[in-house]
């Protein structure tokens, strides 16, 4: 099978189906909705480098969603690292939304639902690392996934040229060289994760203060209490509201927004779970402290771009309906893939990572 998967020699009426199968073959199963009315064009060059799957992707604008159903079909734990080489990418995972511009690195976890939006023609270099290769904890990994990193400094600056070289020259490496490069890339990414974790914990005196972490723990322990507020948090810690706000000045988010963001994240995760006796949207909202269903629906849509019920449907359905959703034509993947080469308002958080060059635009 050719490592080059391109729409160039595919009949126009089969191109969208081809692209869906190409993405599943080279990356992971996802739902795809294309943007615009022009005939879709895209290509993926994919290789193995040691234990890594590496791909160079270039395509017209489209949107990707990976739901719980897709994860069930391909449950292998993989961490994706992408280098934006042209255009932009909007990544949404775990209730956070970031924008990657050219030369940015962005990271996501394939075992949790995510969305990728490519609003214009773009190109990226993507590496999938098996989770078991990373010697970091799940908590540490979460500090990096769903995030964007500037490659101007730090570990990201070291990782960028290595990732670009590994993807661009994958076909020329000997097996022993490929293994060594895979291990090296893995080690540098692990260092980036450690750097991200340390940066989140030691970004200033306010972040270093263990009190800030105690406040976050208190908020997480009381999310279901509708009365949770800056005033109640300050009272529980025997401090003034003014001092509480001062502690969080360097966190990039106010206490009120932190409470709302954490509530929305828990609601989003619970809505994404499948089950025959799934709780109602309103009961989930109430469980996490939202008293007014209309208010909940409004802030949820503001943060995630979809109403709660549509989010649940998107996350639990392999085929999220849409007028231009890719359809699968009646041909086997080997026949298709063997073709020769030819989202400062309520519910939104401000940027908080010293490494993020793309602003977080959703909570």
């Amino acid at each position: 099978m050719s490592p080059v998967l391109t729409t160039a020699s595919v009949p126009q009426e089969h191109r969208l189906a081809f692209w869906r199968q190409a993405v599943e073959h080279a990356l992971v199963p996802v739902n795809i909705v294309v943007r615009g009315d022009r005939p879709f064009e895209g290509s993926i060059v994919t290789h193995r480098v040691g234990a890594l799957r590496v791909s160079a992707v270039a395509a017209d604008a489209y949107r990707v969603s990976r739901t719980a159903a897709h994860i069930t079909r391909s449950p292998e734990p993989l961490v994706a690292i992408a280098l934006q080489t042209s255009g932009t990418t909007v990544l949404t995972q775990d209730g956070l939304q970031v924008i990657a511009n050219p030369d940015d690195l962005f990271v996501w976890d394939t075992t949790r639902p995510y969305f990728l939006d490519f609003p214009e023609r773009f190109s990226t270099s993507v590496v999938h690392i098996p989770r078991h290769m990373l010697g970091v904890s799940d908590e540490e990994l979460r500090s990096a996934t769903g995030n964007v990193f500037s490659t101007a400094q730090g570990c990201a600056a070291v990782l960028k040229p290595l990732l670009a070289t590994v993807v661009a020259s994958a076909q020329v490496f000997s097996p022993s060289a490929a293994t060594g490069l895979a291990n090296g890339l893995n080690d540098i990414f692990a260092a980036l994760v450690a750097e991200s974790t340390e940066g989140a914990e030691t970004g200033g005196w306010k972040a270093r203060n263990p009190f800030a972490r105690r406040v976050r723990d208190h908020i997480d322990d009381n999310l279901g209490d509708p009365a949770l507020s800056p005033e109640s948090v300050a009272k529980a810690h025997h401090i003034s509201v003014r001092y509480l706000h001062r502690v969080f000045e360097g966190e990039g988010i106010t206490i009120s927004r932190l409470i709302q963001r954490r509530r929305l994240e828990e609601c989003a995760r619970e809505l994404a779970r499948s089950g025959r006796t799934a709780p109602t949207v309103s009961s989930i909202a109430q469980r996490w402290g939202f008293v007014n269903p209309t208010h909940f629906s409004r802030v949820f849509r503001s943060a995630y771009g979809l109403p709660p019920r549509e989010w649940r449907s998107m996350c639990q359905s392999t085929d999220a309906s849409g007028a231009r959703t890719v359809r699968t034509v009646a041909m086997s993947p080997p026949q298709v893939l063997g073709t020769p080469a030819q989202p400062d308002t309520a519910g939104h958080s401000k940027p908080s990572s010293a490494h993020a060059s793309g602003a977080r635009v959703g909570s």
Side-chain angles (χ1 to χ4, degrees):
M1 182 180 299
S2 171
V4 181
L5 311 174
T6 175
T7 60
S9 59
V10 177
Q12 183 173 323
E13 64 271 23
H14 295 323
R15 284 188 177 183
L16 298 183
F18 169 89
W19 189 248
R20 181 178 189 175
Q21 294 176 9
V23 168
E24 179 166 343
H25 167 75
L27 307 174
V28 291
V30 292
N31 188 69
I32 294 174
V33 180
V34 301
R35 289 174 171 268
D37 299 322
R38 56 176 289 181
F40 181 82
E41 295 183 357
S43 66
I44 302 178
V45 181
T46 184
H47 293 277
R48 285 274 182 177
V49 176
L52 308 180
R53 278 195 278 161
V54 305
S55 305
V57 184
D60 290 332
Y62 69 99
R63 295 190 297 269
V64 164
S65 61
R66 181 161 165 87
T67 69
H70 296 115
I71 294 168
T72 300
R73 287 172 51 196
S74 62
E76 180 188 5
L78 299 170
V79 177
I81 315 166
L83 173 64
Q84 191 78 28
T85 52
S86 69
T88 60
T89 300
V90 181
L91 163 65
T92 305
Q93 186 165 57
D94 295 332
L96 298 176
Q97 191 174 85
V98 293
I99 300 175
N101 295 305
D103 291 331
D104 285 340
L105 290 171
F106 55 108
V107 182
W108 65 96
D109 185 338
T110 66
T111 64
R112 303 197 303 279
Y114 63 81
F115 298 86
L116 294 171
D117 189 1
F118 309 102
E120 58 188 338
R121 185 164 181 84
F122 72 96
S123 60
T124 58
S125 296
V126 186
V127 172
H128 282 89
I129 301 179
R131 174 66 179 89
H132 66 80
M133 289 183 65
L134 293 170
V136 298
S137 68
D138 289 343
E139 182 180 359
E140 289 171 328
L141 185 58
R142 277 181 178 266
S143 72
T145 54
N147 211 341
V148 168
F149 299 88
S150 167
T151 57
Q153 60 184 359
C155 292
V158 179
L159 183 58
K160 173 191 169 182
L162 178 59
L163 186 151
T165 300
V166 165
V167 173
S169 304
Q171 72 278 8
V172 305
F173 300 130
S174 67
S176 59
T179 299
L181 287 167
N183 290 337
L185 191 149
N186 172 69
D187 290 344
I188 296 172
F189 176 66
L192 176 63
V193 172
E195 182 181 64
S196 174
T197 304
E198 291 167 4
E201 293 179 351
T202 62
W205 76 265
K206 301 175 187 69
R208 288 197 300 270
N209 188 345
F211 175 70
R213 275 180 277 178
R214 291 202 301 273
V215 169
R216 288 179 177 273
D217 290 341
H218 174 82
I219 289 172
D220 282 348
D221 290 342
N222 293 275
L223 283 177
D225 182 359
L228 184 65
S229 66
E231 291 74 20
S232 71
V233 172
K235 182 177 180 180
H237 291 85
H238 310 289
I239 59 173
S240 68
V241 174
R242 181 177 180 180
Y243 180 76
L244 177 64
H245 286 315
R246 185 185 173 201
V247 169
F248 274 79
E249 280 177 0
E251 298 289 288
I253 189 170
T254 66
I255 290 293
S256 295
R257 289 178 187 161
L258 176 61
I259 292 170
Q260 185 176 92
R261 189 184 78 183
R262 288 292 299 116
R263 283 173 168 164
L264 287 170
E265 288 174 354
E266 294 304 327
C267 288
R269 290 191 184 103
E270 193 162 351
L271 286 166
R273 294 174 187 161
S274 59
R276 298 177 64 183
T277 58
T280 64
V281 170
S282 60
S283 66
I284 290 174
Q286 290 176 5
R287 180 176 303 144
W288 295 107
F290 289 100
V291 176
N292 186 312
T294 302
H295 170 71
F296 168 66
S297 182
R298 178 174 60 81
V299 297
F300 190 96
R301 180 167 188 164
S302 177
Y304 288 86
L306 293 172
R309 286 178 176 81
E310 290 185 27
W311 170 269
R312 165 178 269 174
S313 176
M314 173 74 77
C315 290
Q316 295 183 1
S317 172
T318 304
D319 180 19
S321 62
R324 292 184 60 78
T325 298
V326 176
R327 58 188 176 83
T328 302
V329 296
M331 60 177 70
S332 67
Q335 288 175 297
V336 176
L337 297 177
T339 304
Q342 304 257 345
D344 187 57
T345 55
H348 286 218
S349 64
K350 299 178 182 178
S352 59
S353 168
H355 306 290
S357 66
R360 294 185 184 279
V361 294
S363 63

